C-alpha cells in the first residue's frame, strides 16, 4: 500500500468521525436557543406564563435561588421544569403547568 493510499485510508474515517462529533456537540446548543425563542413566542401570544411569573410561582412554593428553568411539551401540555436551590443547600425540582403556573410535581433532587 502506498503512503498516499494509507493516508487516505486513515484520514477519511477520522474526518467523518470529526464531522459527526462536531454535529453532536453543536446540536444541543441550537436546541436550547430554539427553546428560548419558542418560550418567548408562546408567552407573547398568551399561551403560557412568562419566565418571570413562573419564577415567582416557583419561589412561592419553595423559597430559594433558581438554578434552571426548561420548557417542554408533554402531549398537549406545556410544562416548565424548574430547579431551585434552597437555603439549606437542597436542590428541588418542580414541574409547573406553563399555562397557569399550577404545581404538578415537587421533589427533592439527589
Amino acid at each position: 500500500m502506498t503512503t498516499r493510499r494509507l493516508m487516505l485510508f486513515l484520514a477519511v474515517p477520522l474526518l467523518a468521525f470529526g464531522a459527526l462529533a462536531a454535529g453532536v456537540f453543536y446540536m444541543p446548543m441550537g436546541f436550547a436557543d430554539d427553546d428560548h425563542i419558542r418560550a418567548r413566542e408562546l408567552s407573547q401570544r398568551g399561551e403560557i406564563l412568562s419566565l418571570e411569573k413562573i419564577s415567582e410561582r416557583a419561589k412561592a412554593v419553595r423559597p430559594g435561588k433558581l438554578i434552571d428553568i426548561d420548557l417542554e411539551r408533554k402531549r398537549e401540555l406545556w410544562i416548565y421544569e424548574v430547579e431551585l436551590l434552597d437555603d439549606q443547600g437542597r436542590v428541588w425540582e418542580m414541574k409547573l403547568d406553563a399555562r397557569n403556573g399550577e404545581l404538578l410535581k415537587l421533589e427533592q433532587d439527589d
Side-chain angles (χ1 to χ4, degrees), residues 52-66:
E52 289 125 21
K53 289 184 181 177
I54 286 296
S55 298
E56 291 170 6
R57 175 66 178 126
K59 288 180 180 183
V61 172
R62 282 279 173 211
K65 179 181 178 185
L66 290 174

Side-chain angles (χ1 to χ4, degrees), residues 38 47 68 96:
R38 180 183 305 133
E47 294 183 36
D68 190 28
L96 302 162

Side-chain angles (χ1 to χ4, degrees), residues 30-46:
F31 286 149
D33 291 341
D34 290 345
D35 287 345
H36 175 69
I37 292 167
R38 180 183 305 133
R40 186 175 349 150
E41 289 172 353
L42 290 168
S43 176
Q44 288 173 346
R45 289 196 310 245

Side-chain angles (χ1 to χ4, degrees), residues 36-105:
H36 175 69
I37 292 167
R38 180 183 305 133
R40 186 175 349 150
E41 289 172 353
L42 290 168
S43 176
Q44 288 173 346
R45 289 196 310 245
E47 294 183 36
I48 64 172
L49 294 176
S50 68
L51 287 174
E52 289 125 21
K53 289 184 181 177
I54 286 296
S55 298
E56 291 170 6
R57 175 66 178 126
K59 288 180 180 183
V61 172
R62 282 279 173 211
K65 179 181 178 185
L66 290 174
I67 299 172
D68 190 28
I69 300 178
D70 294 319
L71 177 67
E72 66 178 35
R73 180 104 176 173
K74 297 245 180 161
R75 297 189 186 125
E76 296 178 13
L77 188 65
W78 285 104
I79 296 174
Y80 277 112
E81 287 190 1
V82 178
E83 286 188 13
L84 188 135
L85 178 67
D86 70 12
D87 293 338
Q88 287 77 39
R90 295 176 297 206
V91 176
W92 295 88
E93 181 180 301
M94 58 185 81
K95 294 185 181 193
L96 302 162
D97 186 325
R99 292 173 303 160
N100 57 23
E102 176 187 346
L103 180 64
L104 303 173
K105 183 178 182 181

